[in-house]
Each structure stands twice: as structure tokens, then as C-alpha cells.
Amino acid sequence: QVQLQETGPGLVKPSETLSLTCTVSGSSFSNYYWTWIRQSPGKPLEWVGYIDYIDYTGSSNYNPSLKSRVAISLDTSKKHFSLTLTSVTAADTALYYCARGVTMIHLDVWGIGTTVTVSS
Amino acid sequence: QSALTQPRSVSGSPGQSVSISCTRSSSDVGDLTYVSWYQQHPGKAPKLIIYDVTKRPSGVPDRFSGSKSGNTASLTISGLQAQDEADYYCCSYAGSSTVFGGGTELTVL
């Protein structure tokens, strides 16, 4: 059965860089959209972006509102993909989920999420 | 304000049917040819319950159904049960991006 597990520091200081990893088990990376979604307290889901792995090459796509600060990478040998968000502020405090996408909007497997708080 | 508008809340009694709408409120959003719906219980990760407007993943009860008319997609839950109480999100394409609706809180009375 496919499982995703997010890991990373729970606390990040303002202006620093947030880095999260999603470890994948039970699935190949090929032909899926490896996606990050976040949810600020009391707010709706927000798509962060994805990296796909089509024909053994990866390409990424990001939320335009985050595009200048976000990067998603993939390491198939380590069976994980990662999120990097630079210059964080309190507005980046959220529960961050990773998910496997059959398409960009068909997210069939989700991790349980990891909370990130931005605070000094 | 999301480009996909959902009612903030809906409610129904056990056994009844409820529908949750998801309206395209921005020209950035496509024509809702492809819509997914997610169910999120408090403190839990979202779960896919509908994809491609009308299709149900394996294991999702047929009490959950999806439809679309014009600029609005809808999720209908029939034979409402206590465990259906959750937040529901629609999701579609906005240009080359993914967008979620603002979410609807379903209360089972």
C-alpha cells in the first residue's frame, strides 16, 4: 500500500528557509505528480506546487503566489521529494501535506501532514 | 477569496441528502471539465472522494456522487450519516495551476 510521510523542523525563524521532505513507500515515482499542499490554521487548502516524473525527467510547477520563493525537488534513489520555501514569514505557518497526484487535481494518496510554525 | 466558490456551511439530518456547490468565480479557472472533491475530518488529512467530476475511487460509498452544470460542480451526499460530518473541498484547474475551493463545513444534525 502506498504511504507518504512528511518530515521536517516544526519551527522556522522568520526570513529563514523552510525545508520539508516527503518519503514515499509502495509506489514508483514514474508518471505521477508529487505535490505539496498547505493549510494555514482555520483556512482552506492551498496548492503549493508539484514535481512530476514523466519519461524519467522531472518538471515542476508552482503556485504563482509562491513562485519566487518555492522549489520542489525529487530524489528517486532516496525515495523522497522535497519542498524548499525561502524567506518565510508568519503567513507561511501551516500544516504541510504531501500527496501523490494521478493528475494535477486527482490527488489519490496523502501524507498525514506536518506542522510548521514560523516564529522567532 | 478562492477562484472556486463554495458555501461556508451546509447541514442535514441523518438519512437526508445534501448538496455542496462549487462555482467557477474567476475566468482563470477552466470550464470545470475536471473537478475533484476531498473530504477532511478534523485533524485528518484530506481524502479523495470524487474525481473527473463524477467518478468515485474504490472504497468510497456510492452515497457520494458528483455532477456538473454550467459553471457549477456539485457534490451530493445521500443517506446522510454522522460520519459524513466533515469539511469538503472542490478542486480544479486554473490555467496551469491547481486551485481548491474555500471549503464547506457539513454538519449532520
Side-chain angles (χ1 to χ4, degrees), chain A residues 85-103:
Chain A
L85 185 65
T86 62
S87 304
V88 298
T89 69
D92 296 310
T93 293
L95 182 54
Y96 285 77
Y97 294 103
C98 61
R100 186 182 79 167
V102 177
T103 71

Side-chain angles (χ1 to χ4, degrees), chain B residues 5 14 30 42 51 57 62 72 81 95 98:
Chain B
T5 299
Y51 66 96
D62 60 6
T72 298
Q81 299 181 2
T98 297

Side-chain angles (χ1 to χ4, degrees), chain A residues 16-80:
Chain A
E16 294 192 344
T17 296
L18 178 163
S19 295
L20 299 174
T21 294
C22 180
T23 301
V24 179
S25 59
S27 174
S28 72
F29 280 91
S30 299
N31 300 318
Y32 290 107
Y33 296 80
W34 300 97
T35 303
W36 287 96
I37 304 99
R38 69 181 186 178
Q39 188 171 33
S40 299
K43 300 284 185 152
L45 302 170
E46 179 183 25
W47 176 72
V48 174
Y50 71 77
I51 186 164
D52 63 26
Y53 194 60
I54 312 294
D55 295 330
Y56 303 103
T57 59
S59 65
S60 52
N61 187 19
Y62 305 122
N63 187 320
S65 69
L66 301 171
K67 195 169 187 175
S68 63
R69 300 193 293 128
V70 67
I72 298 175
S73 59
L74 180 66
D75 189 331
T76 58
S77 65
K78 294 183 179 177
K79 295 190 176 297
H80 72 217

Side-chain angles (χ1 to χ4, degrees), chain B residues 80-96:
Chain B
L80 208 55
Q81 299 181 2
Q83 61 258 38
D84 299 332
E85 187 161 290
D87 292 331
Y88 292 84
Y89 293 91
C90 61
C91 179
S92 190
Y93 293 98
S96 60

Side-chain angles (χ1 to χ4, degrees), chain A residues 39 61 97 104-107 111, chain B residues 36 38 40 45 48 89 96 98:
Chain A
Q39 188 171 33
N61 187 19
Y97 294 103
M104 284 173 60
I105 68 167
H106 177 167
L107 305 173
Chain B
S36 300
Y38 297 88
Q40 185 180 33
L48 178 71
Y89 293 91
S96 60
T98 297

